[in-house]
Amino acid sequence: MTTLTKDEWIQRAQARFVVRAGLTQAQALDYALALYGDGDVLDDEPEDVVDEDVSHWGD
């Protein structure tokens, strides 16, 4: 895996939230920033992290 910059990670996570959860760009950005802020996700692909997060919605 190539190390992503903060901006790259957030941009990819934001895009995944739009596709996977149907969020608006603004909502997706908020969620992506929150995931990035957790800090323990930085070694993982953003798409994988978003998929895991969204899979728990509605639990």
Side-chain angles (χ1 to χ4, degrees):
M1 178 186 133
T2 304
T3 302
L4 299 174
T5 67
K6 175 183 178 180
D7 288 342
E8 290 169 332
W9 198 99
I10 290 170
Q11 183 179 42
R12 285 176 51 183
Q14 178 184 15
R16 187 63 171 185
F17 273 120
V18 169
V19 170
R20 182 76 199 279
L23 300 179
T24 67
Q25 289 291 330
Q27 292 168 325
L29 178 58
D30 288 342
Y31 277 97
L33 288 168
L35 280 183
Y36 188 88
D38 287 344
D40 63 341
V41 298
L42 306 181
D43 291 332
D44 299 321
E45 293 291 328
E47 294 84 3
D48 294 340
V49 176
V50 170
D51 288 348
E52 175 69 20
D53 188 67
V54 171
S55 74
H56 297 289
W57 292 9
D59 286 350

